[in-house]
Amino acid sequence: MDRTESLPAQTLPPGVGPTDPGSVLLPGHDVPLGRYTTVRRLLPQRQRRMVGAWCFVDHFGPDDVADRPGMEVPPHPHTGLQTVTWLLDGEILHRDSLGNVQPIRPGQLNVMTSGRGIAHSERSPLVHPPLMHGVQLWVALPDPARAGDPDFAHHADLPRWRDGDLEVTLLVGEFGGHRSPAVVHTPLVGAQLEVRGAAPATLPLRPDFEYVLLAMSGAADCDGTALAPGALLYLGRGRSALTLSAEPGTRLLLLGGTPFDEPLVMWWNFVGRSHEEVVAAREDWMAGRRFGVVADDAAPPLPAPALPTTRLKARDRSGGVRG
């Protein structure tokens, strides 16, 4: 997905540090995506840019698109990241410059690895379901994967199991003794939790991971903190377990990973390490170099916005300037 806007300030409350297991609700903000879709952007924020290697969280819908085009995002580039797309309702057609043309539907996972550069588009098909609801996530690639070959994978069969009153679907990483087939390059977890009963549930967590919990639908209570739909709860590090309760039908997304300690420059659709690296990626995109042509999509490529007048600075996972 495309990102062009500046990021709002967000400060963690006093006493909540990077290893503190206290919970902090992180507000998001609405961002237009293409001509017809508005998303709720929850990461990055100024003071909490990353959770593990997760560096970008967009939640969209549920939207009624019965008489609308749905998602319409023309060809655009990426570097230094993986896109992870997960739908609860609807259908999106992915096309990329490797020649892949792949629809994604609820319960399936698309993972696109940009490496040194890839281009793709995301559109609702002409005939599509009446509702659209889902998330798109970015994972920052570490050295040397960020300079590697681009790749794309579609996973129609993911690990699913019942744990008491929770139905768990594992998107990426390892959780509950299960492993996702999706390839990742740092220790990560991404799991959907669907509540099937009224009993509280306790989930085992890794104390060396930091976590967030996104309420995608329904209402939930996590260790005494209420989550409304669209809320993102930062859980910090140092937790070995998480207790939650919710009404049946609630769907939550648990994201976590070991802290990502490499500095990042994130601008538009590029994740790099320096101002010069991002400038070179923008120049290559505008000149038609490096990223290739998106298969079976005749729309004009999305032009890159103008660079800011100040130098882009590398930042760490909590928003601090590096170097």
Side-chain angles (χ1 to χ4, degrees):
M1 289 186 180
D2 170 49
R3 54 185 301 272
T4 58
E5 85 301 336
S6 60
L7 305 173
Q10 167 65 24
T11 303
L12 298 179
V16 178
T19 60
D20 193 312
S23 300
V24 182
L25 278 171
L26 298 176
H29 60 293
D30 290 342
V31 177
L33 185 70
R35 295 179 59 189
Y36 304 104
T37 304
T38 297
V39 302
R40 186 74 170 165
R41 187 146 296 161
L42 296 157
L43 283 181
Q45 301 183 27
R46 287 195 187 279
Q47 301 303 319
R48 177 53 52 192
R49 298 181 67 82
M50 303 181 70
V51 175
W54 301 102
C55 61
F56 183 92
V57 176
D58 268 0
H59 176 230
F60 51 91
D63 292 328
D64 183 352
V65 294
D67 299 316
R68 300 171 58 199
M71 186 170 289
E72 287 290 322
V73 183
H76 58 281
H78 288 295
T79 61
L81 58 87
Q82 291 177 295
T83 62
V84 178
T85 306
W86 177 252
L87 293 180
L88 283 71
D89 296 289
E91 181 177 346
I92 296 174
L93 187 60
H94 163 98
R95 299 178 175 93
D96 65 39
S97 53
L98 299 179
N100 296 294
V101 179
Q102 176 64 59
I104 180 174
R105 301 178 179 93
Q108 303 174 351
L109 185 73
N110 277 1
V111 178
M112 186 183 74
T113 303
S114 71
R116 59 183 173 271
I118 196 171
H120 75 145
S121 65
E122 298 153 296
R123 303 183 186 277
S124 298
L126 289 177
V127 179
H128 53 263
L131 289 179
M132 186 171 65
H133 187 193
V135 293
Q136 191 182 72
L137 318 163
W138 290 2
V139 179
L141 288 171
D143 290 325
R146 69 187 189 90
D149 293 336
D151 193 19
F152 173 80
H154 174 78
H155 300 285
D157 188 17
L158 295 167
R160 291 180 173 85
W161 68 95
R162 186 76 176 257
D163 184 357
D165 283 339
L166 283 182
E167 184 175 297
V168 183
T169 304
L170 182 58
L171 280 60
V172 302
E174 299 181 34
F175 190 66
H178 300 264
R179 180 192 290 269
S180 167
V183 174
V184 293
H185 298 270
T186 55
L188 283 180
V189 66
Q192 177 180 280
L193 313 173
E194 185 163 359
V195 179
R196 296 297 191 185
T202 300
L203 299 172
L205 301 180
R206 287 180 49 169
D208 60 324
F209 273 30
E210 55 183 349
Y211 292 93
V212 288
L213 191 66
L214 169 62
M216 295 186 292
S217 64
D221 182 281
C222 177
D223 284 347
T225 301
L227 275 75
L232 186 72
L233 181 65
Y234 176 69
L235 299 169
R237 276 190 286 164
R239 291 177 178 266
S240 58
L242 174 67
T243 301
L244 60 89
S245 58
E247 58 191 27
T250 295
R251 288 180 287 186
L252 308 165
L253 186 65
L254 179 70
L255 302 174
T258 55
F260 190 91
D261 289 328
E262 298 179 31
L264 295 183
V265 175
M266 292 180 60
W267 180 82
W268 195 45
N269 297 311
F270 306 128
V271 173
R273 296 294 186 274
S274 68
H275 174 87
E276 290 77 14
E277 189 176 314
V278 171
V279 169
R282 183 189 183 278
E283 290 177 350
D284 285 349
W285 173 248
M286 295 302 289
R289 299 187 297 262
R290 189 195 315 193
F291 297 95
V293 177
V294 174
D296 195 31
D297 194 323
L302 193 67
L307 283 160
T309 56
T310 57
R311 182 179 177 82
L312 299 168
K313 296 184 180 298
R315 296 181 180 273
D316 61 26
R317 60 192 178 86
S318 62
V321 176
R322 298 281 290 266

